[in-house]
Amino acid sequence: MILQEGFKKSGYKDILIGDIACEYEINLEDIFDLDQKPEALLSIFISAQRDELFFLLDGDSAKIDSLCDYWDDRIRVFTIINGKSKAIHKLKYNIVQLIVYSEGIPDRSRESNL
């Protein structure tokens, strides 16, 4: 996927691969059940400076409204649970959801910041 290659070329790392999440002091269990990675979750990229986190989501896996609501809640809980962590504090206001959508024209009425 072109988008994921762009992240890698810019120095971002996918924390879903190997032990990268542990290296960055991120507990993935606070985001999802490790035994059942959500189908919609394609990747989670973190910047080399550890100050940006990008969730790449499959917009074809569910209705956009429910997909956004689900991940807004997951990310909110993740930031609350880890609110005192220095690693998460640095990212807290720089977490972005990117929805990869391939069918037709998506409904953009839900575009906003968390």
Side-chain angles (χ1 to χ4, degrees):
M1 179 177 272
I2 295 171
L3 185 59
Q4 291 165 318
E5 292 304 316
F7 273 108
K8 290 175 184 174
K9 285 180 183 175
S10 297
Y12 288 79
K13 293 193 178 187
D14 187 349
I15 65 172
L16 296 180
I17 297 173
D19 291 333
I20 295 174
C22 292
E23 292 172 24
Y24 284 85
E25 301 174 34
I26 295 174
N27 185 359
L28 292 176
E29 289 177 328
D30 294 339
I31 302 171
F32 63 90
D33 181 2
L34 296 181
D35 295 332
Q36 295 182 327
K37 180 180 151 277
E39 179 183 328
L41 183 60
L42 301 173
S43 302
I44 304 175
F45 284 98
I46 190 166
S47 66
Q49 297 79 21
R50 302 177 183 212
D51 61 352
E52 294 177 309
L53 197 64
F54 289 87
F55 284 74
L56 264 61
L57 305 172
D58 181 3
D60 296 327
S61 66
K63 288 183 63 178
I64 296 294
D65 286 350
S66 26
L67 182 70
C68 291
D69 289 343
Y70 176 81
W71 285 100
D72 284 348
D73 290 344
R74 294 276 79 214
I75 293 168
R76 188 177 302 111
V77 167
F78 169 72
T79 58
I80 291 169
I81 290 172
N82 295 285
K84 294 185 180 183
S85 162
K86 285 184 181 181
I88 304 307
H89 183 72
K90 196 172 179 183
L91 302 164
K92 198 171 190 175
Y93 301 103
N94 294 313
I95 299 175
V96 177
Q97 297 175 47
L98 294 176
I99 300 172
V100 179
Y101 190 77
S102 64
E103 294 181 18
I105 300 172
D107 176 11
R108 296 187 169 220
S109 65
R110 300 267 309 170
E111 286 184 359
S112 66
N113 293 328
L114 176 62

PDB file of all heavy atoms in Angstrom, residues 11-28 44-53 78 82 85-91:
ATOM      1  N   GLY A  11      10.268   7.822   8.103  1.00  0.00           N
ATOM      2  CA  GLY A  11      10.832   7.482   9.412  1.00  0.00           C
ATOM      3  C   GLY A  11       9.827   7.004  10.444  1.00  0.00           C
ATOM      4  O   GLY A  11      10.171   6.831  11.604  1.00  0.00           O
ATOM      5  N   TYR A  12       8.586   6.789  10.046  1.00  0.00           N
ATOM      6  CA  TYR A  12       7.570   6.282  10.968  1.00  0.00           C
ATOM      7  C   TYR A  12       7.701   4.770  11.057  1.00  0.00           C
ATOM      8  O   TYR A  12       8.131   4.118  10.111  1.00  0.00           O
ATOM      9  CB  TYR A  12       6.159   6.637  10.473  1.00  0.00           C
ATOM     10  CG  TYR A  12       5.823   8.091  10.607  1.00  0.00           C
ATOM     11  CD1 TYR A  12       6.290   9.023   9.686  1.00  0.00           C
ATOM     12  CD2 TYR A  12       5.029   8.545  11.648  1.00  0.00           C
ATOM     13  CE1 TYR A  12       5.981  10.360   9.799  1.00  0.00           C
ATOM     14  CE2 TYR A  12       4.711   9.894  11.770  1.00  0.00           C
ATOM     15  CZ  TYR A  12       5.197  10.786  10.838  1.00  0.00           C
ATOM     16  OH  TYR A  12       4.882  12.115  10.952  1.00  0.00           O
ATOM     17  N   LYS A  13       7.325   4.223  12.214  1.00  0.00           N
ATOM     18  CA  LYS A  13       7.372   2.770  12.408  1.00  0.00           C
ATOM     19  C   LYS A  13       5.981   2.256  12.736  1.00  0.00           C
ATOM     20  O   LYS A  13       5.238   2.895  13.483  1.00  0.00           O
ATOM     21  CB  LYS A  13       8.333   2.415  13.535  1.00  0.00           C
ATOM     22  CG  LYS A  13       9.767   2.736  13.189  1.00  0.00           C
ATOM     23  CD  LYS A  13      10.720   2.102  14.145  1.00  0.00           C
ATOM     24  CE  LYS A  13      12.126   2.434  13.674  1.00  0.00           C
ATOM     25  NZ  LYS A  13      13.126   1.743  14.416  1.00  0.00           N
ATOM     26  N   ASP A  14       5.667   1.088  12.201  1.00  0.00           N
ATOM     27  CA  ASP A  14       4.387   0.436  12.474  1.00  0.00           C
ATOM     28  C   ASP A  14       4.522  -0.323  13.787  1.00  0.00           C
ATOM     29  O   ASP A  14       5.252  -1.310  13.862  1.00  0.00           O
ATOM     30  CB  ASP A  14       4.020  -0.504  11.331  1.00  0.00           C
ATOM     31  CG  ASP A  14       2.626  -1.094  11.477  1.00  0.00           C
ATOM     32  OD1 ASP A  14       2.007  -0.946  12.554  1.00  0.00           O
ATOM     33  OD2 ASP A  14       2.148  -1.705  10.497  1.00  0.00           O
ATOM     34  N   ILE A  15       3.824   0.135  14.815  1.00  0.00           N
ATOM     35  CA  ILE A  15       3.967  -0.484  16.140  1.00  0.00           C
ATOM     36  C   ILE A  15       3.219  -1.809  16.250  1.00  0.00           C
ATOM     37  O   ILE A  15       3.309  -2.471  17.279  1.00  0.00           O
ATOM     38  CB  ILE A  15       3.554   0.469  17.282  1.00  0.00           C
ATOM     39  CG1 ILE A  15       2.065   0.816  17.215  1.00  0.00           C
ATOM     40  CG2 ILE A  15       4.431   1.714  17.287  1.00  0.00           C
ATOM     41  CD1 ILE A  15       1.573   1.585  18.427  1.00  0.00           C
ATOM     42  N   LEU A  16       2.525  -2.216  15.203  1.00  0.00           N
ATOM     43  CA  LEU A  16       1.865  -3.521  15.224  1.00  0.00           C
ATOM     44  C   LEU A  16       2.831  -4.637  14.829  1.00  0.00           C
ATOM     45  O   LEU A  16       2.518  -5.807  14.967  1.00  0.00           O
ATOM     46  CB  LEU A  16       0.655  -3.536  14.275  1.00  0.00           C
ATOM     47  CG  LEU A  16      -0.483  -2.592  14.627  1.00  0.00           C
ATOM     48  CD1 LEU A  16      -1.607  -2.721  13.597  1.00  0.00           C
ATOM     49  CD2 LEU A  16      -1.010  -2.866  16.018  1.00  0.00           C
ATOM     50  N   ILE A  17       4.000  -4.266  14.343  1.00  0.00           N
ATOM     51  CA  ILE A  17       4.985  -5.247  13.899  1.00  0.00           C
ATOM     52  C   ILE A  17       5.989  -5.524  15.012  1.00  0.00           C
ATOM     53  O   ILE A  17       6.588  -4.604  15.570  1.00  0.00           O
ATOM     54  CB  ILE A  17       5.715  -4.742  12.641  1.00  0.00           C
ATOM     55  CG1 ILE A  17       4.718  -4.574  11.494  1.00  0.00           C
ATOM     56  CG2 ILE A  17       6.835  -5.690  12.240  1.00  0.00           C
ATOM     57  CD1 ILE A  17       5.293  -3.926  10.255  1.00  0.00           C
ATOM     58  N   GLY A  18       6.163  -6.801  15.326  1.00  0.00           N
ATOM     59  CA  GLY A  18       7.155  -7.214  16.316  1.00  0.00           C
ATOM     60  C   GLY A  18       6.978  -6.557  17.667  1.00  0.00           C
ATOM     61  O   GLY A  18       5.862  -6.395  18.156  1.00  0.00           O
ATOM     62  N   ASP A  19       8.096  -6.166  18.272  1.00  0.00           N
ATOM     63  CA  ASP A  19       8.093  -5.571  19.614  1.00  0.00           C
ATOM     64  C   ASP A  19       8.250  -4.051  19.583  1.00  0.00           C
ATOM     65  O   ASP A  19       8.656  -3.443  20.575  1.00  0.00           O
ATOM     66  CB  ASP A  19       9.231  -6.171  20.450  1.00  0.00           C
ATOM     67  CG  ASP A  19       8.981  -7.629  20.784  1.00  0.00           C
ATOM     68  OD1 ASP A  19       7.793  -8.024  20.851  1.00  0.00           O
ATOM     69  OD2 ASP A  19       9.961  -8.369  20.964  1.00  0.00           O
ATOM     70  N   ILE A  20       7.938  -3.445  18.471  1.00  0.00           N
ATOM     71  CA  ILE A  20       8.121  -1.994  18.333  1.00  0.00           C
ATOM     72  C   ILE A  20       7.281  -1.234  19.351  1.00  0.00           C
ATOM     73  O   ILE A  20       7.737  -0.249  19.932  1.00  0.00           O
ATOM     74  CB  ILE A  20       7.833  -1.529  16.889  1.00  0.00           C
ATOM     75  CG1 ILE A  20       8.879  -2.145  15.948  1.00  0.00           C
ATOM     76  CG2 ILE A  20       7.841  -0.020  16.791  1.00  0.00           C
ATOM     77  CD1 ILE A  20       8.637  -1.879  14.480  1.00  0.00           C
ATOM     78  N   ALA A  21       6.061  -1.692  19.612  1.00  0.00           N
ATOM     79  CA  ALA A  21       5.203  -1.014  20.595  1.00  0.00           C
ATOM     80  C   ALA A  21       5.871  -0.978  21.962  1.00  0.00           C
ATOM     81  O   ALA A  21       5.847   0.054  22.644  1.00  0.00           O
ATOM     82  CB  ALA A  21       3.842  -1.703  20.684  1.00  0.00           C
ATOM     83  N   CYS A  22       6.482  -2.078  22.369  1.00  0.00           N
ATOM     84  CA  CYS A  22       7.179  -2.122  23.666  1.00  0.00           C
ATOM     85  C   CYS A  22       8.356  -1.153  23.692  1.00  0.00           C
ATOM     86  O   CYS A  22       8.582  -0.488  24.697  1.00  0.00           O
ATOM     87  CB  CYS A  22       7.670  -3.539  23.953  1.00  0.00           C
ATOM     88  SG  CYS A  22       6.335  -4.704  24.260  1.00  0.00           S
ATOM     89  N   GLU A  23       9.093  -1.076  22.585  1.00  0.00           N
ATOM     90  CA  GLU A  23      10.221  -0.153  22.502  1.00  0.00           C
ATOM     91  C   GLU A  23       9.775   1.292  22.710  1.00  0.00           C
ATOM     92  O   GLU A  23      10.506   2.105  23.250  1.00  0.00           O
ATOM     93  CB  GLU A  23      10.915  -0.274  21.140  1.00  0.00           C
ATOM     94  CG  GLU A  23      11.622  -1.585  20.920  1.00  0.00           C
ATOM     95  CD  GLU A  23      12.131  -1.724  19.487  1.00  0.00           C
ATOM     96  OE1 GLU A  23      12.344  -0.688  18.815  1.00  0.00           O
ATOM     97  OE2 GLU A  23      12.301  -2.873  19.047  1.00  0.00           O
ATOM     98  N   TYR A  24       8.548   1.597  22.257  1.00  0.00           N
ATOM     99  CA  TYR A  24       8.008   2.947  22.373  1.00  0.00           C
ATOM    100  C   TYR A  24       7.128   3.110  23.610  1.00  0.00           C
ATOM    101  O   TYR A  24       6.447   4.117  23.760  1.00  0.00           O
ATOM    102  CB  TYR A  24       7.216   3.315  21.107  1.00  0.00           C
ATOM    103  CG  TYR A  24       8.104   3.660  19.943  1.00  0.00           C
ATOM    104  CD1 TYR A  24       8.613   2.670  19.115  1.00  0.00           C
ATOM    105  CD2 TYR A  24       8.442   4.979  19.675  1.00  0.00           C
ATOM    106  CE1 TYR A  24       9.429   2.989  18.043  1.00  0.00           C
ATOM    107  CE2 TYR A  24       9.255   5.309  18.608  1.00  0.00           C
ATOM    108  CZ  TYR A  24       9.749   4.300  17.799  1.00  0.00           C
ATOM    109  OH  TYR A  24      10.562   4.615  16.734  1.00  0.00           O
ATOM    110  N   GLU A  25       7.145   2.120  24.500  1.00  0.00           N
ATOM    111  CA  GLU A  25       6.396   2.138  25.764  1.00  0.00           C
ATOM    112  C   GLU A  25       4.890   2.292  25.555  1.00  0.00           C
ATOM    113  O   GLU A  25       4.208   2.995  26.288  1.00  0.00           O
ATOM    114  CB  GLU A  25       6.922   3.247  26.674  1.00  0.00           C
ATOM    115  CG  GLU A  25       8.391   3.095  27.014  1.00  0.00           C
ATOM    116  CD  GLU A  25       8.936   4.276  27.790  1.00  0.00           C
ATOM    117  OE1 GLU A  25       8.191   4.864  28.597  1.00  0.00           O
ATOM    118  OE2 GLU A  25      10.122   4.604  27.589  1.00  0.00           O
ATOM    119  N   ILE A  26       4.380   1.603  24.529  1.00  0.00           N
ATOM    120  CA  ILE A  26       2.947   1.611  24.243  1.00  0.00           C
ATOM    121  C   ILE A  26       2.402   0.211  24.458  1.00  0.00           C
ATOM    122  O   ILE A  26       2.914  -0.758  23.881  1.00  0.00           O
ATOM    123  CB  ILE A  26       2.668   2.085  22.796  1.00  0.00           C
ATOM    124  CG1 ILE A  26       3.092   3.549  22.657  1.00  0.00           C
ATOM    125  CG2 ILE A  26       1.202   1.882  22.435  1.00  0.00           C
ATOM    126  CD1 ILE A  26       3.010   4.086  21.262  1.00  0.00           C
ATOM    127  N   ASN A  27       1.381   0.108  25.292  1.00  0.00           N
ATOM    128  CA  ASN A  27       0.751  -1.172  25.576  1.00  0.00           C
ATOM    129  C   ASN A  27      -0.448  -1.332  24.641  1.00  0.00           C
ATOM    130  O   ASN A  27      -1.483  -0.709  24.843  1.00  0.00           O
ATOM    131  CB  ASN A  27       0.317  -1.235  27.039  1.00  0.00           C
ATOM    132  CG  ASN A  27      -0.223  -2.588  27.412  1.00  0.00           C
ATOM    133  OD1 ASN A  27      -0.309  -3.496  26.589  1.00  0.00           O
ATOM    134  ND2 ASN A  27      -0.601  -2.736  28.664  1.00  0.00           N
ATOM    135  N   LEU A  28      -0.302  -2.179  23.634  1.00  0.00           N
ATOM    136  CA  LEU A  28      -1.376  -2.370  22.657  1.00  0.00           C
ATOM    137  C   LEU A  28      -2.637  -2.962  23.278  1.00  0.00           C
ATOM    138  O   LEU A  28      -3.731  -2.777  22.751  1.00  0.00           O
ATOM    139  CB  LEU A  28      -0.891  -3.257  21.506  1.00  0.00           C
ATOM    140  CG  LEU A  28       0.180  -2.647  20.609  1.00  0.00           C
ATOM    141  CD1 LEU A  28       0.652  -3.662  19.573  1.00  0.00           C
ATOM    142  CD2 LEU A  28      -0.340  -1.394  19.924  1.00  0.00           C
ATOM    143  N   ILE A  44      -0.625   1.019  12.809  1.00  0.00           N
ATOM    144  CA  ILE A  44      -0.505   2.166  13.708  1.00  0.00           C
ATOM    145  C   ILE A  44       0.937   2.653  13.571  1.00  0.00           C
ATOM    146  O   ILE A  44       1.867   1.940  13.929  1.00  0.00           O
ATOM    147  CB  ILE A  44      -0.794   1.812  15.180  1.00  0.00           C
ATOM    148  CG1 ILE A  44      -2.169   1.185  15.348  1.00  0.00           C
ATOM    149  CG2 ILE A  44      -0.666   3.061  16.050  1.00  0.00           C
ATOM    150  CD1 ILE A  44      -2.453   0.698  16.770  1.00  0.00           C
ATOM    151  N   PHE A  45       1.102   3.838  13.034  1.00  0.00           N
ATOM    152  CA  PHE A  45       2.441   4.388  12.820  1.00  0.00           C
ATOM    153  C   PHE A  45       2.763   5.445  13.861  1.00  0.00           C
ATOM    154  O   PHE A  45       1.927   6.281  14.188  1.00  0.00           O
ATOM    155  CB  PHE A  45       2.550   5.005  11.427  1.00  0.00           C
ATOM    156  CG  PHE A  45       2.683   3.993  10.334  1.00  0.00           C
ATOM    157  CD1 PHE A  45       1.584   3.603   9.598  1.00  0.00           C
ATOM    158  CD2 PHE A  45       3.911   3.413  10.052  1.00  0.00           C
ATOM    159  CE1 PHE A  45       1.695   2.661   8.593  1.00  0.00           C
ATOM    160  CE2 PHE A  45       4.040   2.468   9.053  1.00  0.00           C
ATOM    161  CZ  PHE A  45       2.927   2.090   8.320  1.00  0.00           C
ATOM    162  N   ILE A  46       4.013   5.398  14.348  1.00  0.00           N
ATOM    163  CA  ILE A  46       4.506   6.390  15.307  1.00  0.00           C
ATOM    164  C   ILE A  46       5.721   7.084  14.692  1.00  0.00           C
ATOM    165  O   ILE A  46       6.522   6.454  13.987  1.00  0.00           O
ATOM    166  CB  ILE A  46       4.852   5.738  16.664  1.00  0.00           C
ATOM    167  CG1 ILE A  46       5.128   6.802  17.712  1.00  0.00           C
ATOM    168  CG2 ILE A  46       5.990   4.750  16.536  1.00  0.00           C
ATOM    169  CD1 ILE A  46       5.158   6.282  19.140  1.00  0.00           C
ATOM    170  N   SER A  47       5.833   8.378  14.952  1.00  0.00           N
ATOM    171  CA  SER A  47       6.959   9.146  14.408  1.00  0.00           C
ATOM    172  C   SER A  47       8.239   8.819  15.166  1.00  0.00           C
ATOM    173  O   SER A  47       8.208   8.357  16.312  1.00  0.00           O
ATOM    174  CB  SER A  47       6.671  10.643  14.494  1.00  0.00           C
ATOM    175  OG  SER A  47       6.596  11.053  15.838  1.00  0.00           O
ATOM    176  N   ALA A  48       9.366   9.083  14.536  1.00  0.00           N
ATOM    177  CA  ALA A  48      10.671   8.841  15.157  1.00  0.00           C
ATOM    178  C   ALA A  48      10.844   9.688  16.416  1.00  0.00           C
ATOM    179  O   ALA A  48      11.512   9.278  17.361  1.00  0.00           O
ATOM    180  CB  ALA A  48      11.783   9.135  14.161  1.00  0.00           C
ATOM    181  N   GLN A  49      10.201  10.864  16.462  1.00  0.00           N
ATOM    182  CA  GLN A  49      10.286  11.742  17.629  1.00  0.00           C
ATOM    183  C   GLN A  49       9.293  11.338  18.720  1.00  0.00           C
ATOM    184  O   GLN A  49       9.241  11.965  19.775  1.00  0.00           O
ATOM    185  CB  GLN A  49      10.012  13.196  17.225  1.00  0.00           C
ATOM    186  CG  GLN A  49      11.004  13.787  16.268  1.00  0.00           C
ATOM    187  CD  GLN A  49      10.751  13.346  14.831  1.00  0.00           C
ATOM    188  OE1 GLN A  49       9.662  12.934  14.469  1.00  0.00           O
ATOM    189  NE2 GLN A  49      11.798  13.400  14.014  1.00  0.00           N
ATOM    190  N   ARG A  50       8.489  10.315  18.432  1.00  0.00           N
ATOM    191  CA  ARG A  50       7.488   9.795  19.379  1.00  0.00           C
ATOM    192  C   ARG A  50       6.424  10.831  19.743  1.00  0.00           C
ATOM    193  O   ARG A  50       5.887  10.825  20.842  1.00  0.00           O
ATOM    194  CB  ARG A  50       8.157   9.282  20.652  1.00  0.00           C
ATOM    195  CG  ARG A  50       9.160   8.199  20.421  1.00  0.00           C
ATOM    196  CD  ARG A  50       9.827   7.785  21.698  1.00  0.00           C
ATOM    197  NE  ARG A  50      10.839   6.768  21.414  1.00  0.00           N
ATOM    198  CZ  ARG A  50      11.155   5.814  22.232  1.00  0.00           C
ATOM    199  NH1 ARG A  50      10.566   5.719  23.393  1.00  0.00           N
ATOM    200  NH2 ARG A  50      12.072   4.931  21.909  1.00  0.00           N
ATOM    201  N   ASP A  51       6.120  11.725  18.802  1.00  0.00           N
ATOM    202  CA  ASP A  51       5.141  12.766  19.119  1.00  0.00           C
ATOM    203  C   ASP A  51       3.906  12.736  18.216  1.00  0.00           C
ATOM    204  O   ASP A  51       3.038  13.599  18.328  1.00  0.00           O
ATOM    205  CB  ASP A  51       5.791  14.153  19.081  1.00  0.00           C
ATOM    206  CG  ASP A  51       6.366  14.497  17.716  1.00  0.00           C
ATOM    207  OD1 ASP A  51       6.406  13.613  16.832  1.00  0.00           O
ATOM    208  OD2 ASP A  51       6.779  15.654  17.532  1.00  0.00           O
ATOM    209  N   GLU A  52       3.817  11.748  17.323  1.00  0.00           N
ATOM    210  CA  GLU A  52       2.651  11.597  16.463  1.00  0.00           C
ATOM    211  C   GLU A  52       2.304  10.116  16.336  1.00  0.00           C
ATOM    212  O   GLU A  52       3.195   9.276  16.223  1.00  0.00           O
ATOM    213  CB  GLU A  52       2.921  12.130  15.052  1.00  0.00           C
ATOM    214  CG  GLU A  52       3.154  13.610  14.980  1.00  0.00           C
ATOM    215  CD  GLU A  52       3.489  14.040  13.571  1.00  0.00           C
ATOM    216  OE1 GLU A  52       4.388  13.443  12.949  1.00  0.00           O
ATOM    217  OE2 GLU A  52       2.838  14.980  13.105  1.00  0.00           O
ATOM    218  N   LEU A  53       1.001   9.842  16.339  1.00  0.00           N
ATOM    219  CA  LEU A  53       0.521   8.466  16.199  1.00  0.00           C
ATOM    220  C   LEU A  53      -0.591   8.473  15.161  1.00  0.00           C
ATOM    221  O   LEU A  53      -1.535   9.259  15.265  1.00  0.00           O
ATOM    222  CB  LEU A  53      -0.002   7.969  17.545  1.00  0.00           C
ATOM    223  CG  LEU A  53      -0.191   6.479  17.741  1.00  0.00           C
ATOM    224  CD1 LEU A  53       1.143   5.741  17.656  1.00  0.00           C
ATOM    225  CD2 LEU A  53      -0.834   6.201  19.091  1.00  0.00           C
ATOM    226  N   PHE A  78      -7.699   4.773  25.588  1.00  0.00           N
ATOM    227  CA  PHE A  78      -6.251   4.579  25.588  1.00  0.00           C
ATOM    228  C   PHE A  78      -5.527   5.790  26.188  1.00  0.00           C
ATOM    229  O   PHE A  78      -4.637   5.642  27.026  1.00  0.00           O
ATOM    230  CB  PHE A  78      -5.787   4.326  24.150  1.00  0.00           C
ATOM    231  CG  PHE A  78      -4.306   4.374  23.960  1.00  0.00           C
ATOM    232  CD1 PHE A  78      -3.497   3.370  24.447  1.00  0.00           C
ATOM    233  CD2 PHE A  78      -3.718   5.418  23.263  1.00  0.00           C
ATOM    234  CE1 PHE A  78      -2.120   3.405  24.256  1.00  0.00           C
ATOM    235  CE2 PHE A  78      -2.354   5.466  23.060  1.00  0.00           C
ATOM    236  CZ  PHE A  78      -1.556   4.457  23.563  1.00  0.00           C
ATOM    237  N   ASN A  82      -3.616   5.799  29.965  1.00  0.00           N
ATOM    238  CA  ASN A  82      -2.174   6.073  29.951  1.00  0.00           C
ATOM    239  C   ASN A  82      -1.849   7.549  30.138  1.00  0.00           C
ATOM    240  O   ASN A  82      -0.765   8.001  29.777  1.00  0.00           O
ATOM    241  CB  ASN A  82      -1.578   5.581  28.629  1.00  0.00           C
ATOM    242  CG  ASN A  82      -1.673   4.095  28.504  1.00  0.00           C
ATOM    243  OD1 ASN A  82      -0.933   3.367  29.138  1.00  0.00           O
ATOM    244  ND2 ASN A  82      -2.625   3.627  27.705  1.00  0.00           N
ATOM    245  N   SER A  85       1.541   8.488  31.623  1.00  0.00           N
ATOM    246  CA  SER A  85       2.732   7.956  30.965  1.00  0.00           C
ATOM    247  C   SER A  85       3.416   9.071  30.175  1.00  0.00           C
ATOM    248  O   SER A  85       2.770   9.785  29.395  1.00  0.00           O
ATOM    249  CB  SER A  85       2.330   6.825  30.016  1.00  0.00           C
ATOM    250  OG  SER A  85       3.345   6.562  29.083  1.00  0.00           O
ATOM    251  N   LYS A  86       4.732   9.222  30.350  1.00  0.00           N
ATOM    252  CA  LYS A  86       5.472  10.255  29.614  1.00  0.00           C
ATOM    253  C   LYS A  86       5.408  10.002  28.112  1.00  0.00           C
ATOM    254  O   LYS A  86       5.287  10.928  27.326  1.00  0.00           O
ATOM    255  CB  LYS A  86       6.930  10.291  30.065  1.00  0.00           C
ATOM    256  CG  LYS A  86       7.129  10.926  31.406  1.00  0.00           C
ATOM    257  CD  LYS A  86       8.596  11.015  31.752  1.00  0.00           C
ATOM    258  CE  LYS A  86       8.767  11.640  33.116  1.00  0.00           C
ATOM    259  NZ  LYS A  86      10.177  11.779  33.485  1.00  0.00           N
ATOM    260  N   ALA A  87       5.473   8.727  27.714  1.00  0.00           N
ATOM    261  CA  ALA A  87       5.442   8.378  26.293  1.00  0.00           C
ATOM    262  C   ALA A  87       4.112   8.793  25.659  1.00  0.00           C
ATOM    263  O   ALA A  87       4.083   9.346  24.559  1.00  0.00           O
ATOM    264  CB  ALA A  87       5.660   6.880  26.115  1.00  0.00           C
ATOM    265  N   ILE A  88       3.015   8.554  26.345  1.00  0.00           N
ATOM    266  CA  ILE A  88       1.689   8.870  25.806  1.00  0.00           C
ATOM    267  C   ILE A  88       1.391  10.358  25.933  1.00  0.00           C
ATOM    268  O   ILE A  88       0.757  10.943  25.056  1.00  0.00           O
ATOM    269  CB  ILE A  88       0.596   8.034  26.506  1.00  0.00           C
ATOM    270  CG1 ILE A  88       0.900   6.540  26.384  1.00  0.00           C
ATOM    271  CG2 ILE A  88      -0.778   8.353  25.955  1.00  0.00           C
ATOM    272  CD1 ILE A  88       1.141   6.034  24.989  1.00  0.00           C
ATOM    273  N   HIS A  89       1.876  10.994  26.988  1.00  0.00           N
ATOM    274  CA  HIS A  89       1.639  12.431  27.167  1.00  0.00           C
ATOM    275  C   HIS A  89       2.155  13.216  25.963  1.00  0.00           C
ATOM    276  O   HIS A  89       1.536  14.176  25.515  1.00  0.00           O
ATOM    277  CB  HIS A  89       2.281  12.924  28.456  1.00  0.00           C
ATOM    278  CG  HIS A  89       2.003  14.365  28.720  1.00  0.00           C
ATOM    279  ND1 HIS A  89       0.766  14.817  29.112  1.00  0.00           N
ATOM    280  CD2 HIS A  89       2.797  15.464  28.607  1.00  0.00           C
ATOM    281  CE1 HIS A  89       0.810  16.135  29.252  1.00  0.00           C
ATOM    282  NE2 HIS A  89       2.026  16.547  28.945  1.00  0.00           N
ATOM    283  N   LYS A  90       3.285  12.794  25.437  1.00  0.00           N
ATOM    284  CA  LYS A  90       3.889  13.468  24.291  1.00  0.00           C
ATOM    285  C   LYS A  90       3.026  13.324  23.026  1.00  0.00           C
ATOM    286  O   LYS A  90       3.001  14.195  22.188  1.00  0.00           O
ATOM    287  CB  LYS A  90       5.285  12.878  24.060  1.00  0.00           C
ATOM    288  CG  LYS A  90       6.168  13.695  23.180  1.00  0.00           C
ATOM    289  CD  LYS A  90       7.568  13.128  23.183  1.00  0.00           C
ATOM    290  CE  LYS A  90       8.476  13.921  22.291  1.00  0.00           C
ATOM    291  NZ  LYS A  90       9.818  13.368  22.218  1.00  0.00           N
ATOM    292  N   LEU A  91       2.300  12.208  22.918  1.00  0.00           N
ATOM    293  CA  LEU A  91       1.462  11.932  21.745  1.00  0.00           C
ATOM    294  C   LEU A  91       0.030  12.423  21.880  1.00  0.00           C
ATOM    295  O   LEU A  91      -0.676  12.548  20.894  1.00  0.00           O
ATOM    296  CB  LEU A  91       1.299  10.423  21.546  1.00  0.00           C
ATOM    297  CG  LEU A  91       2.430   9.495  21.365  1.00  0.00           C
ATOM    298  CD1 LEU A  91       1.939   8.086  21.592  1.00  0.00           C
ATOM    299  CD2 LEU A  91       2.929   9.627  19.949  1.00  0.00           C
TER     300      LEU A  91
END
